[in-house]
Amino acid sequence: MNTALKTALLIACAASASQASALQLDLDTRHPGAEIPSTMYGIFFEDINYGADGGLYAEKVKNRSFEFPAGLTGWSVAGDVVLHDTGGPFERNPRYVTLQPAVHPELHTMLENEGFFGIAFEAGKEYRFSLWARTDAPGAKLKAELVDPAANGETQIMAAGDITVDSRDWKRYEIMLRPDATVDKGRLRVFLCKPEAAVDVEHISLMPADTWKGRPDGMRADLAQRLADLRPGVFRFPGGCIVEGRTLDTRYNWKNTVGPVENRPLNENRWQSTFHHRFFPDYYQTYGLGFYEFFELSEDIGAEPLPIINVGLSCQYQNHADSCHIPVDSLGDYIQDALDLIEFANGPATSTWGAVRASMGHPEPFGLKFLGVGNEQWGPEYVSRLEPFVKAIRAAYPDIKIVGSSGPDSEGDKFDYLWPEMRRIGVDLVDEHFYRPEEWFLSQGARYDDYPRRGPKVFAGEYACHGRGYKRNHFNAALLEAAFMTGLERNADVVDMATYAPLFAHVEGWQWRPDLIWFDNLRSVPTSSYYVQQLYGLNRGTRVLRLTSAGKPVTGTDGLFASAVLDEPSGDYIVKAVNTTGSPAPLDIALKGLRKGKTPAEVVITTLHAGARDENSLDRPDVVKPVTTTATVASADWHTELPANTFAIYRFTSAK
Ligand code: AHR
């Protein structure tokens, strides 16, 4: 037999073998099932991995109010600089600094800020430099400079501007700086100009002008846009363990995060020391990104806000004595904080907390619907504290949906104890967390198929595939998350929300990985997991469709996972299929129950595929990326081949 004939025969045999072993998927188009909640796919934000200060919050100056325990952390000084512990213009951030004439005419008095892993700026862009100052010698001058300390040219100075301090009283001054070079590890310098006269300074800030929505004290536009691009339905904040703090004194107290930024008191960030092997002693929370900004961002990106509040427990991992927590009979202030938060979000502008919201620029209510009480809490100590919260919230705000916790584990004693307790207490949703390895995700395709349909709904509030021995943002982890998510979708009548965690990580400042979005001071990159979340978000649909093989849901047998939805506005049928095996999977997708003349004209196929350990990085951002093609659909039985190790979305577009 000649070679050409042999090859042709081999191809024919392979084609018929693949045809013969095709898996038939029956899609019932006639009987749409449960509604897919708009909140189904969302985002979880926590200030971990420098997610807020040094991340989403666009402030470039570290320790801008000199309130870090060591007041000059982040600052280098020259000449004569004096730090004062009290007496500044802001009651809750009382420190300030005096720049005094240097002792010798050839010396300069100067403050230099190192930023968060450097101060990055870009040629041609504008940066808003501001500070508060006063002087006994009105007319005294300061100079602000953006410098590249590593520059090898004639000058280190990439932008400069002068400020004349003209008042004996504290006053805010602002200038725009326009660098003529792009620098990733720059510095900000503030000089006292000659002839020198002492000037007091406080709250020294440097913000890009092009923040998200152009808000003067806003967010990094590129990072906020990444969030918007996910099309999230719910936005959970501010965590995470940060809700609990390392101790109750360092818990997240939302009331400290609203009002003028200059007067929001500093808090420790518990992630500075959570892991000895990833230790960041200069990690604090300025709360420049606070609850008002979180609500506003939720509104901007079309997601329901879901704040989580402290339930009177400090981190249970780190605090074992009862005395570390608030006694059940002393929870009054904590419960009031919860009620006040609802008023802050929803109350009229004439109410006490509604007025605070209005004074910040949002007289209209934010329309808060959900509130999480406690983060990842467990045990009777949680249940006994949750109950009085639920009682008080129900009495004052019966429409607010309350989220309780099922603890830190996806199953086991804590989980088994808490779920019945959550039912008994009558919370509306139960937050489940699972950072689990590959085999767990592969085994959980049917996790929710048998969950009780009455009682609280599920909020898969923190999850990510943590590769065994390889905990990175590699493609295989994302593939298994996609597989698991078919089970969320199929069970949209019991699962209301799901949020991958954590969200952001600075490449030089992370404590926890994997994460959804990595960034440095100039760039950001979506991970494979980001694309999985985004593909679900873009193809959420509105109603579950029954998708079966031999009458059963496709939940991982032979490594295949699948689910389907109808998108009512477009009439599209959307099938999601995940092949976690190393071999291609021939599929026959049978669109059952189509009305006459309603056979879809074409199918838009989006696939995500890469090598198991492939991952995107800032320097190689496109290693893993969705690819979209289209194919015609000739009949209600459509044949395709789902490649090995691939997440595919088949979007059947209805005949118009
Ligand atoms: O997402 C990181 C941490 O994981 C969260 O802060 C906490 O809730 C969980 O333990």
Side-chain angles (χ1 to χ4, degrees):
M1 204 185 295
N2 70 32
T3 321
L5 186 58
K6 234 191 222 165
T7 314
L9 273 176
L10 278 175
I11 291 171
C13 290
S16 73
S18 105
Q19 202 69 29
S21 59
L23 185 77
Q24 166 132 354
L25 298 180
D26 294 322
L27 178 66
D28 180 353
T29 65
R30 187 57 78 87
H31 305 101
E35 264 182 41
I36 314 275
S38 66
T39 52
M40 190 70 177
Y41 309 111
I43 46 185
F44 160 98
F45 180 86
E46 177 169 24
D47 189 3
I48 182 174
N49 306 320
Y50 287 82
D53 287 282
L56 183 59
Y57 185 44
E59 176 62 82
K60 288 178 177 288
V61 175
K62 180 162 74 186
N63 190 17
R64 63 186 175 186
S65 295
F66 308 103
E67 296 295 332
F68 283 27
L72 289 174
T73 301
W75 297 94
S76 301
V77 300
D80 196 348
V81 173
V82 182
L83 173 71
H84 306 271
D85 279 335
T86 56
F90 306 109
E91 193 195 337
R92 297 201 289 179
N93 288 321
R95 286 189 184 152
Y96 71 99
V97 154
T98 304
L99 303 179
Q100 303 195 130
V103 290
H104 187 281
E106 290 303 314
L107 287 178
H108 296 289
T109 289
M110 181 219 64
L111 277 168
E112 179 186 275
N113 194 268
E114 67 188 30
F116 300 91
F117 315 103
I119 288 183
F121 45 84
E122 290 176 83
K125 292 203 170 176
E126 290 197 307
Y127 296 85
R128 181 177 287 109
F129 169 82
S130 66
L131 83 177
W132 287 74
R134 70 176 176 188
T135 182
D136 284 338
K141 283 201 165 42
L142 301 173
K143 183 181 285 295
E145 293 177 356
L146 294 180
V147 302
D148 177 4
N152 202 16
E154 284 303 313
T155 179
Q156 301 172 315
I157 304 167
M158 304 300 161
D162 294 333
I163 283 179
T164 302
V165 181
D166 57 11
S167 173
R168 292 173 193 277
D169 297 324
W170 286 106
K171 182 178 151 187
R172 184 175 181 277
Y173 298 84
E174 172 184 309
I175 54 170
M176 299 306 280
L177 297 174
R178 297 173 186 86
D180 49 19
T182 297
V183 175
D184 62 345
K185 298 268 180 208
R187 298 281 184 272
L188 169 72
R189 288 179 182 159
V190 184
F191 283 92
L192 189 64
C193 297
K194 314 249 175 209
E196 295 174 328
V199 176
D200 296 333
V201 295
E202 157 62 331
H203 197 89
I204 302 179
S205 168
L206 182 71
M207 282 273 174
D210 63 348
T211 52
W212 170 252
K213 304 268 177 202
R215 298 200 178 104
D217 196 50
M219 300 178 206
R220 250 180 78 167
D222 60 327
L223 297 184
Q225 189 60 49
R226 293 269 185 225
L227 303 185
D229 291 346
L230 284 165
R231 299 275 182 86
V234 65
F235 181 53
R236 169 182 171 161
F237 55 87
C241 290
I242 213 162
V243 170
E244 304 146 29
R246 185 176 47 79
T247 63
L248 278 175
D249 287 344
T250 58
R251 76 186 189 282
Y252 196 102
N253 179 349
W254 75 266
K255 287 178 176 167
N256 287 341
T257 77
V258 296
V261 287
E262 292 92 339
N263 212 17
R264 300 183 191 175
L266 188 83
N267 194 7
E268 175 187 296
N269 189 312
R270 59 148 295 143
W271 293 106
Q272 68 171 229
S273 60
T274 301
F275 301 120
H276 188 75
H277 58 285
R278 299 284 311 169
F279 184 49
F280 294 88
D282 64 350
Y283 196 1
Y284 286 84
Q285 303 177 81
T286 62
Y287 291 139
L289 188 56
F291 261 41
Y292 178 86
E293 289 77 18
F294 287 135
F295 279 116
E296 198 174 44
L297 180 60
S298 307
E299 193 170 76
D300 288 345
I301 61 180
E304 294 293 346
L306 168 47
I308 310 289
I309 46 148
N310 188 292
V311 69
L313 290 169
S314 57
C315 175
Q316 289 171 276
Y317 283 115
Q318 296 184 330
N319 300 277
H320 305 289
D322 279 353
S323 57
C324 300
H325 310 302
I326 299 293
V328 177
D329 59 7
S330 306
L331 283 170
D333 289 350
Y334 283 67
I335 293 173
Q336 193 57 48
D337 282 350
L339 300 175
D340 291 345
L341 175 59
I342 300 170
E343 184 177 285
F344 174 76
N346 292 353
T350 47
S351 62
T352 307
W353 286 100
V356 176
R357 181 195 70 238
S359 74
M360 295 180 75
H362 204 289
E364 295 306 317
F366 281 117
L368 177 69
K369 298 188 184 114
F370 303 95
L371 183 65
V373 183
N375 172 42
E376 194 179 69
Q377 320 302 160
W378 65 79
E381 54 272 48
Y382 172 50
V383 170
S384 58
R385 286 170 177 79
L386 175 65
E387 284 191 276
F389 273 83
V390 172
K391 210 170 148 200
I393 295 167
R394 293 273 188 249
Y397 298 103
D399 293 338
I400 291 288
K401 291 200 185 312
I402 299 174
V403 182
S405 163
S406 64
D409 304 321
S410 47
E411 50 271 302
D413 293 349
K414 294 186 178 88
F415 184 91
D416 292 344
Y417 164 71
L418 280 172
W419 251 105
E421 287 297 303
M422 293 302 112
R423 285 185 196 289
R424 181 181 65 75
I425 294 172
V427 299
D428 300 286
L429 293 111
V430 177
D431 183 8
E432 298 189 351
H433 292 183
F434 18 87
Y435 298 104
R436 292 287 182 261
E438 293 87 344
E439 59 273 20
W440 187 91
F441 276 83
L442 282 167
S443 70
Q444 295 296 308
R447 178 180 178 90
Y448 297 110
D449 291 7
D450 297 324
Y451 260 48
R453 265 40 196 175
R454 292 166 68 102
K457 305 282 188 180
V458 173
F459 169 32
E462 292 186 31
Y463 68 94
C465 176
H466 283 197
R468 202 175 277 290
Y470 197 72
K471 243 169 17 125
R472 298 184 62 104
N473 276 109
H474 52 302
F475 174 69
N476 191 49
L479 183 72
L480 302 191
E481 288 153 9
F484 171 73
M485 289 174 77
T486 57
L488 302 179
E489 178 170 282
R490 187 174 49 257
N491 291 286
D493 56 330
V494 67
V495 181
D496 266 12
M497 306 175 175
T499 55
Y500 177 101
L503 184 60
F504 284 121
H506 193 296
V507 289
E508 294 178 64
W510 63 273
Q511 296 84 46
W512 180 295
R513 83 176 167 197
D515 306 286
L516 208 62
I517 300 164
W518 287 83
F519 62 92
D520 64 12
N521 289 351
L522 286 173
R523 302 169 295 171
S524 68
V525 61
T527 59
S528 325
S529 295
Y530 177 96
Y531 285 123
V532 167
Q533 295 296 320
Q534 187 180 48
L535 290 175
Y536 271 90
L538 292 173
N539 294 284
R540 175 169 58 84
T542 53
R543 303 280 291 273
V544 179
L545 290 178
R546 193 171 147 73
L547 181 80
T548 51
S549 176
K552 293 200 178 114
V554 187
T555 61
T557 316
D558 299 331
L560 288 177
F561 298 77
S563 58
V565 295
L566 166 68
D567 181 56
E568 287 162 308
S570 62
D572 293 353
Y573 306 114
I574 306 169
V575 174
K576 301 185 181 80
V578 185
N579 181 359
T580 64
T581 76
S583 311
L587 300 177
D588 280 327
I589 301 181
L591 306 176
K592 303 279 189 193
L594 289 174
R595 290 183 201 285
K596 207 160 175 249
K598 292 288 181 189
T599 304
E602 64 172 24
V603 55
V604 179
I605 306 165
T606 306
T607 55
L608 193 65
H609 168 79
R613 291 204 167 183
D614 284 350
E615 62 182 293
N616 293 336
S617 64
L618 291 167
D619 293 330
R620 297 182 66 221
D622 295 333
V623 173
V624 189
K625 232 182 158 173
V627 173
T628 298
T629 56
T630 53
T632 49
V633 178
S635 76
D637 289 318
W638 185 70
H639 180 78
T640 189
E641 187 171 83
L642 175 57
N645 299 313
T646 298
F647 170 34
I649 297 188
Y650 305 108
R651 190 167 182 131
F652 294 90
T653 302
S654 302
K656 299 284 181 282

